[in-house]
Coordinates of all heavy atoms in Angstrom, one line a residue:
M1220 N 98.4 68.2 94.6 CA 97.1 67.6 94.4 C 96.0 68.6 94.6 O 95.0 68.5 93.9 CB 97.0 66.4 95.4 CG 95.9 65.5 95.1 SD 96.4 64.5 93.7 CE 95.1 63.4 93.6
L1221 N 96.2 69.6 95.4 CA 95.2 70.6 95.6 C 95.0 71.5 94.3 O 93.9 72.0 94.0 CB 95.5 71.5 96.8 CG 95.4 70.7 98.1 CD1 95.9 71.7 99.2 CD2 94.0 70.3 98.4
L1222 N 96.1 71.8 93.7 CA 96.1 72.7 92.5 C 95.8 72.0 91.2 O 95.6 72.7 90.2 CB 97.4 73.4 92.4 CG 97.8 74.3 93.6 CD1 99.2 74.9 93.4 CD2 96.8 75.4 93.8
R1223 N 95.6 70.7 91.2 CA 95.4 70.0 90.0 C 93.8 69.8 89.9 O 93.3 69.0 90.6 CB 96.1 68.7 90.0 CG 96.2 68.1 88.6 CD 97.1 66.9 88.6 NE 98.5 67.4 88.7 CZ 99.5 66.6 88.7 NH1 99.4 65.3 88.6 NH2 100.7 67.1 88.8
P1224 N 93.1 70.5 88.9 CA 91.7 70.3 88.9 C 91.3 68.9 88.3 O 92.1 68.4 87.4 CB 91.2 71.4 87.9 CG 92.4 71.7 87.1 CD 93.6 71.5 88.0
K1225 N 90.2 68.4 88.7 CA 89.8 67.2 88.2 C 88.6 67.4 87.3 O 87.7 68.2 87.6 CB 89.3 66.2 89.3 CG 90.5 65.8 90.1 CD 90.1 64.8 91.2 CE 91.3 64.3 92.0 NZ 90.9 63.4 93.1
M1226 N 88.6 66.8 86.1 CA 87.5 66.9 85.2 C 86.3 66.1 85.6 O 86.5 65.0 86.1 CB 87.9 66.5 83.8 CG 89.0 67.4 83.2 SD 88.6 69.1 83.0 CE 87.4 68.9 81.7
P1227 N 85.1 66.6 85.5 CA 83.9 65.8 85.9 C 83.8 64.6 85.0 O 84.2 64.7 83.8 CB 82.8 66.7 85.8 CG 83.2 67.8 84.9 CD 84.7 67.9 85.1
Y1228 N 83.2 63.6 85.5 CA 83.0 62.4 84.7 C 82.0 62.7 83.6 O 80.9 63.1 83.9 CB 82.5 61.2 85.6 CG 82.2 60.0 84.7 CD1 83.2 59.2 84.2 CD2 80.8 59.6 84.5 CE1 82.8 58.1 83.4 CE2 80.5 58.5 83.8 CZ 81.5 57.8 83.2 OH 81.2 56.7 82.5
A1229 N 82.3 62.4 82.4 CA 81.4 62.5 81.3 C 81.1 61.2 80.7 O 82.0 60.4 80.4 CB 82.0 63.5 80.2
A1230 N 79.9 60.9 80.5 CA 79.5 59.6 79.9 C 80.0 59.6 78.4 O 80.0 60.6 77.7 CB 78.0 59.5 79.9
P1231 N 80.4 58.4 78.0 CA 80.9 58.3 76.6 C 79.7 58.6 75.6 O 78.6 58.2 75.9 CB 81.4 56.9 76.5 CG 80.7 56.1 77.6 CD 80.5 57.1 78.7
V1232 N 80.1 59.3 74.5 CA 79.1 59.6 73.5 C 78.8 58.4 72.7 O 79.7 57.7 72.2 CB 79.7 60.7 72.6 CG1 78.7 61.1 71.5 CG2 80.0 61.9 73.4
P1233 N 77.5 58.0 72.6 CA 77.2 56.8 71.8 C 77.5 57.0 70.3 O 77.2 58.1 69.8 CB 75.7 56.6 72.1 CG 75.2 57.9 72.5 CD 76.4 58.6 73.2
T1234 N 78.0 56.0 69.7 CA 78.3 56.1 68.3 C 77.4 55.1 67.6 O 77.2 54.0 68.1 CB 79.8 55.8 68.0 OG1 80.1 54.5 68.5 CG2 80.7 56.9 68.6
A1235 N 77.0 55.5 66.4 CA 76.2 54.6 65.6 C 77.1 53.7 64.7 O 78.1 54.2 64.2 CB 75.2 55.3 64.8
H1236 N 76.8 52.5 64.5 CA 77.5 51.6 63.7 C 77.0 51.7 62.3 O 75.8 51.4 62.0 CB 77.5 50.2 64.2 CG 78.2 50.0 65.5 ND1 79.5 50.1 65.7 CD2 77.7 49.8 66.8 CE1 79.8 50.0 67.0 NE2 78.7 49.8 67.6
L1237 N 77.8 52.2 61.3 CA 77.3 52.3 59.9 C 77.8 51.1 59.2 O 78.9 50.6 59.4 CB 77.9 53.6 59.3 CG 77.5 54.9 60.0 CD1 78.2 56.1 59.3 CD2 76.0 55.1 59.8
P1238 N 77.0 50.7 58.2 CA 77.5 49.6 57.3 C 78.8 50.0 56.6 O 79.0 51.2 56.3 CB 76.3 49.3 56.4 CG 75.5 50.5 56.4 CD 75.7 51.2 57.8
V1239 N 79.6 49.0 56.3 CA 80.9 49.3 55.6 C 80.7 49.8 54.2 O 81.3 50.8 53.8 CB 81.7 48.0 55.6 CG1 83.0 48.2 54.8 CG2 82.0 47.5 57.0
S1240 N 79.8 49.2 53.5 CA 79.5 49.7 52.1 C 78.0 50.0 52.0 O 77.2 49.1 52.2 CB 79.9 48.7 51.1 OG 79.2 47.5 51.2
P1241 N 77.6 51.2 51.7 CA 76.2 51.5 51.6 C 75.6 50.8 50.4 O 76.3 50.6 49.4 CB 76.2 53.1 51.4 CG 77.5 53.4 51.0 CD 78.4 52.4 51.5
V1242 N 74.4 50.5 50.5 CA 73.7 49.8 49.4 C 73.2 50.9 48.4 O 72.6 51.9 48.7 CB 72.4 49.1 49.9 CG1 71.7 48.4 48.8 CG2 72.8 48.1 51.0
E1243 N 73.6 50.6 47.1 CA 73.3 51.5 46.0 C 72.3 50.9 45.1 O 72.4 49.7 44.8 CB 74.5 51.9 45.2 CG 75.5 52.7 46.0 CD 76.7 53.1 45.1 OE1 76.6 53.0 43.9 OE2 77.7 53.5 45.7
L1244 N 71.2 51.6 44.8 CA 70.2 51.1 43.9 C 70.4 51.6 42.5 O 70.6 52.8 42.3 CB 68.8 51.5 44.4 CG 68.4 51.0 45.8 CD1 67.1 51.6 46.2 CD2 68.4 49.5 45.9
H1245 N 70.5 50.7 41.5 CA 70.7 51.1 40.1 C 69.4 50.8 39.4 O 68.9 49.7 39.5 CB 71.9 50.4 39.5 CG 73.2 50.7 40.2 ND1 73.8 51.9 39.9 CD2 73.9 50.0 41.0 CE1 74.9 51.9 40.6 NE2 75.0 50.8 41.3
H1246 N 69.0 51.8 38.6 CA 67.8 51.6 37.8 C 68.2 51.6 36.3 O 69.1 52.3 36.0 CB 66.8 52.7 38.0 CG 66.3 52.8 39.4 ND1 65.3 51.9 39.9 CD2 66.6 53.6 40.5 CE1 65.1 52.2 41.2 NE2 65.8 53.2 41.6
A1247 N 67.4 50.9 35.6 CA 67.7 50.9 34.1 C 67.3 52.2 33.5 O 66.3 52.8 33.9 CB 66.9 49.7 33.5
P1248 N 68.1 52.7 32.6 CA 67.7 54.0 31.9 C 66.4 53.9 31.2 O 66.1 52.8 30.5 CB 68.9 54.3 31.0 CG 69.6 53.0 30.8 CD 69.3 52.2 32.0
V1249 N 65.6 54.9 31.3 CA 64.3 54.9 30.6 C 64.5 55.5 29.3 O 65.0 56.6 29.2 CB 63.3 55.7 31.5 CG1 61.9 55.7 30.8 CG2 63.2 55.1 32.9
T1250 N 64.0 54.9 28.2 CA 64.1 55.4 26.9 C 62.7 56.0 26.6 O 61.7 55.4 26.9 CB 64.5 54.4 25.9 OG1 63.5 53.3 26.0 CG2 65.9 53.9 26.1
C1251 N 62.7 57.2 25.9 CA 61.5 57.9 25.6 C 61.3 57.7 24.1 O 62.2 57.9 23.3 CB 61.6 59.3 26.0 SG 60.1 60.3 25.7
T1252 N 60.1 57.5 23.7 CA 59.8 57.3 22.3 C 59.2 58.6 21.7 O 59.0 58.7 20.5 CB 58.9 56.1 22.0 OG1 57.7 56.4 22.8 CG2 59.5 54.8 22.5
C1253 N 58.8 59.6 22.5 CA 58.2 60.8 22.0 C 59.3 61.7 21.5 O 60.5 61.6 21.9 CB 57.3 61.4 23.0 SG 58.1 61.7 24.6
A1254 N 58.9 62.7 20.7 CA 59.9 63.7 20.1 C 60.1 64.9 21.0 O 59.1 65.7 21.2 CB 59.4 64.1 18.7
H1255 N 61.2 65.0 21.7 CA 61.5 66.1 22.5 C 62.7 66.9 21.9 O 63.4 66.4 21.1 CB 62.0 65.7 23.9 CG 61.0 65.0 24.7 ND1 59.9 65.8 25.3 CD2 60.7 63.8 25.1 CE1 59.1 65.0 26.0 NE2 59.6 63.7 25.9
A1256 N 62.8 68.2 22.3 CA 63.9 69.0 21.8 C 65.2 68.4 22.5 O 65.1 68.0 23.7 CB 63.7 70.4 22.2
P1257 N 66.3 68.5 21.8 CA 67.5 68.0 22.5 C 67.9 68.8 23.7 O 67.8 70.1 23.6 CB 68.6 68.0 21.4 CG 68.0 69.0 20.4 CD 66.5 68.9 20.5
T1258 N 68.4 68.2 24.7 CA 68.8 69.0 25.9 C 70.3 69.2 25.9 O 71.0 68.4 25.3 CB 68.4 68.2 27.2 OG1 69.0 66.9 27.1 CG2 66.9 68.0 27.3
A1259 N 70.7 70.3 26.5 CA 72.1 70.6 26.6 C 72.8 69.6 27.6 O 72.1 69.2 28.6 CB 72.3 72.0 27.1
S1260 N 74.0 69.2 27.4 CA 74.6 68.3 28.3 C 75.0 69.1 29.6 O 75.3 70.2 29.6 CB 75.9 67.7 27.7 OG 76.9 68.8 27.5
A1261 N 74.9 68.4 30.7 CA 75.2 69.0 32.0 C 76.6 69.2 32.2 O 77.0 70.1 33.1 CB 74.6 68.1 33.1
G1262 N 77.5 68.6 31.5 CA 79.0 68.8 31.7 C 79.5 70.0 31.2 O 80.6 70.5 31.6
H1263 N 78.9 70.6 30.2 CA 79.5 71.8 29.5 C 78.6 73.0 29.8 O 77.3 72.9 29.8 CB 79.5 71.6 28.0 CG 80.4 70.4 27.6 ND1 81.8 70.5 27.8 CD2 80.1 69.2 27.1 CE1 82.3 69.3 27.4 NE2 81.3 68.5 27.0
P1264 N 79.1 74.2 30.0 CA 78.3 75.4 30.2 C 77.6 75.7 28.9 O 78.0 75.5 27.8 CB 79.3 76.5 30.6 CG 80.6 76.0 30.0 CD 80.6 74.5 30.1
V1265 N 76.4 76.3 29.1 CA 75.6 76.7 27.9 C 76.2 77.8 27.2 O 76.3 77.8 26.0 CB 74.2 77.1 28.4 CG1 73.3 77.6 27.2 CG2 73.5 75.9 29.1
S1266 N 76.7 78.8 27.9 CA 77.4 79.9 27.2 C 78.7 80.2 27.9 O 78.7 80.5 29.1 CB 76.5 81.1 27.2 OG 77.2 82.2 26.7
P1267 N 79.8 80.1 27.2 CA 81.1 80.5 27.9 C 81.2 81.9 28.2 O 82.0 82.4 29.0 CB 82.2 80.0 26.9 CG 81.5 80.0 25.6 CD 80.0 79.7 25.9
L1268 N 80.4 82.8 27.6 CA 80.4 84.2 27.8 C 79.9 84.6 29.2 O 80.2 85.7 29.7 CB 79.7 85.0 26.7 CG 80.3 84.8 25.3 CD1 79.4 85.6 24.3 CD2 81.7 85.3 25.3
V1269 N 79.0 83.7 29.7 CA 78.5 84.0 31.1 C 79.6 84.1 32.1 O 79.6 85.0 32.9 CB 77.4 83.0 31.4 CG1 76.9 83.2 32.9 CG2 76.2 83.1 30.5
S1270 N 80.5 83.1 32.1 CA 81.5 83.1 33.1 C 82.5 84.3 32.8 O 83.0 84.9 33.8 CB 82.3 81.8 33.1 OG 82.9 81.6 31.8
R1271 N 82.7 84.7 31.6 CA 83.6 85.8 31.3 C 82.9 87.1 31.8 O 83.6 88.0 32.3 CB 83.9 85.9 29.8 CG 84.8 84.8 29.3 CD 85.1 85.0 27.8 NE 85.9 83.9 27.3 CZ 86.0 83.6 26.1 NH1 85.4 84.4 25.2 NH2 86.7 82.6 25.7
G1272 N 81.6 87.2 31.6 CA 80.9 88.4 32.0 C 80.9 88.5 33.5 O 81.1 89.6 34.0
A1273 N 80.7 87.4 34.2 CA 80.8 87.5 35.7 C 82.1 87.9 36.2 O 82.3 88.7 37.1 CB 80.3 86.1 36.2
S1274 N 83.2 87.3 35.6 CA 84.5 87.7 36.0 C 84.9 89.1 35.7 O 85.6 89.8 36.4 CB 85.6 86.8 35.4 OG 85.6 86.9 34.0
A1275 N 84.3 89.6 34.5 CA 84.6 91.0 34.2 C 83.9 92.0 35.1 O 84.4 93.0 35.6 CB 84.1 91.3 32.8
V1276 N 82.7 91.6 35.5 CA 81.9 92.4 36.5 C 82.7 92.4 37.8 O 82.8 93.5 38.5 CB 80.5 91.9 36.7 CG1 79.8 92.6 37.9 CG2 79.7 92.2 35.4
A1277 N 83.2 91.3 38.3 CA 83.9 91.2 39.5 C 85.2 92.0 39.5 O 85.5 92.7 40.4 CB 84.2 89.7 39.8
A1278 N 85.9 92.0 38.3 CA 87.1 92.8 38.2 C 86.8 94.3 38.2 O 87.5 95.1 38.9 CB 87.8 92.4 36.9
V1279 N 85.7 94.7 37.6 CA 85.3 96.1 37.6 C 84.9 96.6 39.0 O 85.3 97.7 39.4 CB 84.1 96.4 36.6 CG1 83.5 97.8 36.8 CG2 84.6 96.2 35.2
L1280 N 84.3 95.7 39.7 CA 83.9 96.0 41.1 C 85.1 96.2 42.0 O 85.2 97.1 42.8 CB 82.9 95.0 41.7 CG 81.5 95.1 41.1 CD1 80.7 93.9 41.7 CD2 80.9 96.4 41.5
V1281 N 86.1 95.3 41.8 CA 87.3 95.3 42.6 C 88.1 96.6 42.3 O 88.5 97.3 43.2 CB 88.1 94.0 42.4 CG1 89.5 94.2 43.0 CG2 87.4 92.9 43.0
V1282 N 88.2 96.9 41.0 CA 89.0 98.1 40.6 C 88.3 99.3 41.2 O 88.9 100.3 41.6 CB 89.2 98.1 39.1 CG1 89.7 99.5 38.6 CG2 90.1 97.0 38.7
G1283 N 86.9 99.3 41.1 CA 86.2 100.5 41.6 C 86.4 100.7 43.1 O 86.5 101.8 43.6
V1284 N 86.3 99.6 43.8 CA 86.5 99.7 45.3 C 87.9 100.2 45.6 O 88.1 101.1 46.5 CB 86.2 98.3 46.0 CG1 86.7 98.3 47.4 CG2 84.8 98.0 45.9
V1285 N 88.9 99.7 44.9 CA 90.3 100.1 45.2 C 90.5 101.6 44.8 O 91.1 102.4 45.6 CB 91.3 99.2 44.4 CG1 92.7 99.8 44.4 CG2 91.3 97.8 44.9
L1286 N 90.0 102.0 43.7 CA 90.1 103.4 43.3 C 89.4 104.4 44.3 O 89.8 105.5 44.6 CB 89.6 103.6 41.9 CG 90.5 103.1 40.8 CD1 89.9 103.3 39.4 CD2 91.9 103.6 40.9
T1287 N 88.2 103.9 44.7 CA 87.4 104.7 45.7 C 88.2 104.8 47.0 O 88.3 105.9 47.6 CB 86.1 104.1 45.9 OG1 85.4 104.0 44.7 CG2 85.2 104.9 46.9
A1288 N 88.8 103.8 47.5 CA 89.6 103.8 48.7 C 90.8 104.7 48.5 O 91.1 105.5 49.5 CB 90.1 102.4 49.1
L1289 N 91.5 104.7 47.4 CA 92.6 105.6 47.1 C 92.2 107.1 47.1 O 92.8 107.9 47.7 CB 93.3 105.2 45.8 CG 94.1 103.9 45.9 CD1 94.6 103.6 44.4 CD2 95.3 104.1 46.8
L1290 N 91.0 107.3 46.5 CA 90.5 108.7 46.4 C 90.2 109.2 47.8 O 90.5 110.3 48.2 CB 89.3 108.8 45.5 CG 88.7 110.1 45.4 CD1 89.6 111.1 44.7 CD2 87.4 110.0 44.6
A1291 N 89.6 108.3 48.7 CA 89.2 108.7 50.0 C 90.5 109.0 50.8 O 90.6 109.9 51.6 CB 88.4 107.6 50.7
T1292 N 91.5 108.2 50.6 CA 92.8 108.4 51.3 C 93.5 109.7 50.9 O 94.0 110.4 51.8 CB 93.8 107.2 51.0 OG1 93.1 106.0 51.3 CG2 95.1 107.3 51.7
V1293 N 93.4 110.0 49.7 CA 94.0 111.3 49.2 C 93.2 112.5 49.8 O 93.8 113.5 50.2 CB 94.1 111.3 47.7 CG1 94.4 112.7 47.2 CG2 95.1 110.3 47.1
A1294 N 91.9 112.4 49.8 CA 91.1 113.4 50.4 C 91.4 113.6 51.8 O 91.5 114.8 52.3 CB 89.6 113.1 50.1
I1295 N 91.4 112.6 52.6 CA 91.7 112.7 54.0 C 93.1 113.2 54.3 O 93.3 114.1 55.2 CB 91.5 111.3 54.7 CG1 90.0 110.9 54.7 CG2 92.0 111.3 56.1 CD1 89.7 109.5 55.1
T1296 N 94.0 112.8 53.5 CA 95.4 113.3 53.7 C 95.4 114.8 53.4 O 96.1 115.6 54.1 CB 96.4 112.6 52.8 OG1 96.3 111.2 53.0 CG2 97.8 113.1 52.9
A1297 N 94.7 115.3 52.3 CA 94.7 116.7 52.0 C 94.1 117.5 53.1 O 94.5 118.6 53.4 CB 94.0 116.9 50.6
I1298 N 93.0 117.0 53.6 CA 92.3 117.7 54.7 C 93.3 117.8 55.9 O 93.4 118.9 56.6 CB 91.0 117.0 55.1 CG1 90.0 117.2 54.0 CG2 90.5 117.6 56.4 CD1 88.8 116.4 54.1
A1299 N 94.0 116.8 56.3 CA 94.9 116.8 57.4 C 96.0 117.7 57.2 O 96.4 118.5 58.1 CB 95.4 115.4 57.7
V1300 N 96.6 117.8 56.0 CA 97.7 118.7 55.7 C 97.2 120.1 55.7 O 97.9 121.0 56.3 CB 98.3 118.4 54.3 CG1 99.2 119.5 53.8 CG2 99.0 117.0 54.4
S1301 N 96.0 120.4 55.2 CA 95.5 121.8 55.3 C 95.3 122.2 56.7 O 95.5 123.4 57.1 CB 94.2 121.9 54.5 OG 93.2 121.1 55.0
I1302 N 94.7 121.4 57.6 CA 94.5 121.7 59.0 C 95.9 122.0 59.7 O 96.1 122.9 60.4 CB 93.7 120.6 59.7 CG1 92.3 120.6 59.2 CG2 93.8 120.8 61.2 CD1 91.5 119.5 59.7
A1303 N 96.9 121.1 59.4 CA 98.2 121.3 59.9 C 98.8 122.6 59.5 O 99.4 123.4 60.3 CB 99.1 120.1 59.6
A1304 N 98.6 123.0 58.2 CA 99.1 124.3 57.7 C 98.5 125.5 58.4 O 99.1 126.5 58.7 CB 98.9 124.3 56.2
L1305 N 97.2 125.4 58.6 CA 96.5 126.5 59.3 C 96.9 126.6 60.8 O 97.1 127.7 61.2 CB 94.9 126.2 59.3 CG 94.2 126.4 58.0 CD1 92.8 126.0 58.1 CD2 94.4 127.9 57.5
V1306 N 97.2 125.5 61.4 CA 97.6 125.6 62.8 C 99.0 126.2 62.9 O 99.3 127.0 63.7 CB 97.6 124.2 63.5 CG1 98.3 124.1 64.8 CG2 96.1 123.7 63.6
L1307 N 99.9 125.7 62.0 CA 101.3 126.2 61.9 C 101.3 127.7 61.6 O 102.0 128.5 62.2 CB 102.1 125.5 60.9 CG 102.6 124.1 61.4 CD1 103.3 123.4 60.3 CD2 103.5 124.2 62.6
R1308 N 100.5 128.1 60.7 CA 100.4 129.6 60.3 C 99.9 130.4 61.5 O 100.4 131.5 61.8 CB 99.5 129.8 59.1 CG 99.5 131.2 58.5 CD 98.7 131.3 57.3 NE 97.3 131.5 57.7 CZ 96.3 131.7 56.8 NH1 96.6 131.7 55.5 NH2 95.1 131.9 57.2
S1309 N 98.9 129.9 62.2 CA 98.4 130.6 63.3 C 99.5 130.7 64.4 O 99.6 131.8 65.1 CB 97.2 129.9 63.9 OG 96.8 130.4 65.1
L1310 N 100.2 129.6 64.7 CA 101.3 129.7 65.7 C 102.4 130.6 65.3 O 103.0 131.3 66.1 CB 101.8 128.3 65.9 CG 100.9 127.3 66.6 CD1 101.5 125.9 66.6 CD2 100.6 127.8 68.0
L1311 N 102.8 130.6 64.0 CA 103.9 131.5 63.5 C 103.4 133.0 63.6 O 104.2 133.8 63.9 CB 104.3 131.1 62.2 CG 105.1 129.8 62.1 CD1 105.4 129.4 60.6 CD2 106.4 129.8 62.9
N1312 N 102.2 133.3 63.2 CA 101.7 134.6 63.3 C 101.7 135.2 64.7 O 102.0 136.3 64.9 CB 100.3 134.8 62.6 CG 100.4 134.7 61.1 OD1 101.4 135.0 60.6 ND2 99.3 134.4 60.5
T1313 N 101.2 134.4 65.6 CA 101.2 134.8 67.0 C 102.6 135.0 67.6 O 102.9 135.9 68.4 CB 100.4 133.9 67.9 OG1 101.0 132.6 67.8 CG2 98.9 133.9 67.5
A1314 N 103.6 134.2 67.1 CA 105.0 134.3 67.6 C 105.6 135.6 67.0 O 106.4 136.3 67.7 CB 105.8 133.1 67.2
H1315 N 105.3 136.0 65.8 CA 105.8 137.2 65.2 C 105.2 138.5 65.8 O 105.9 139.5 65.8 CB 105.6 137.2 63.7 CG 106.5 136.2 62.9 ND1 107.9 136.3 63.0 CD2 106.2 135.1 62.2 CE1 108.4 135.4 62.2 NE2 107.4 134.6 61.8
K1316 N 104.0 138.4 66.2 CA 103.3 139.6 66.8 C 103.8 140.0 68.1 O 103.7 141.1 68.6 CB 101.8 139.4 66.8 CG 101.2 139.4 65.4 CD 99.7 139.2 65.5 CE 99.1 139.2 64.1 NZ 97.6 139.0 64.2
R1317 N 104.5 139.1 68.8 CA 104.9 139.4 70.2 C 106.1 140.2 70.2 O 107.0 140.6 70.0 CB 105.2 138.1 71.0 CG 104.0 137.4 71.3 CD 104.3 136.2 72.2 NE 103.1 135.3 72.3 CZ 103.1 134.3 73.0 NH1 104.2 133.9 73.7 NH2 102.0 133.5 73.1

């Protein structure tokens, strides 16, 4: 009983009662008698080339980031190998001089 902590009493959180079905208001469509330019439908994209262009830009960016990361990896590896070669050459030269 001593090692079992007791949680402090918390008051229950009040909940609001929502109606089962919300009330929806429907208005009659308004017809216009003046001459307007026809509008594009909201269901279809205006230009299918826009989505292709965006995906092409995203693909180019991803490929660029991947190639840049690979180039950085190769450069860092080349630097590490050259430093290791210098250290080994220095150690071998001092061993031969003794």
Side-chain angles (χ1 to χ4, degrees):
M1220 196 72 176
L1221 292 174
L1222 298 177
R1223 196 172 288 183
K1225 293 183 179 179
M1226 298 298 291
Y1228 174 75
V1232 179
T1234 58
H1236 296 288
L1237 298 176
V1239 176
S1240 62
V1242 178
E1243 294 182 15
L1244 300 176
H1245 295 285
H1246 298 285
V1249 178
T1250 57
C1251 183
T1252 57
C1253 52
H1255 291 290
T1258 59
S1260 65
H1263 300 291
V1265 176
S1266 173
L1268 296 178
V1269 172
S1270 63
R1271 288 182 187 164
S1274 62
V1276 169
V1279 167
L1280 286 176
V1281 168
V1282 169
V1284 167
V1285 169
L1286 289 178
T1287 304
L1289 287 174
L1290 180 65
T1292 303
V1293 168
I1295 291 170
T1296 304
I1298 291 170
V1300 167
S1301 64
I1302 291 173
L1305 288 175
V1306 168
L1307 285 175
R1308 188 175 82 177
S1309 173
L1310 290 173
L1311 290 175
N1312 282 340
T1313 56
H1315 286 299
K1316 289 181 182 178
R1317 289 185 191 183

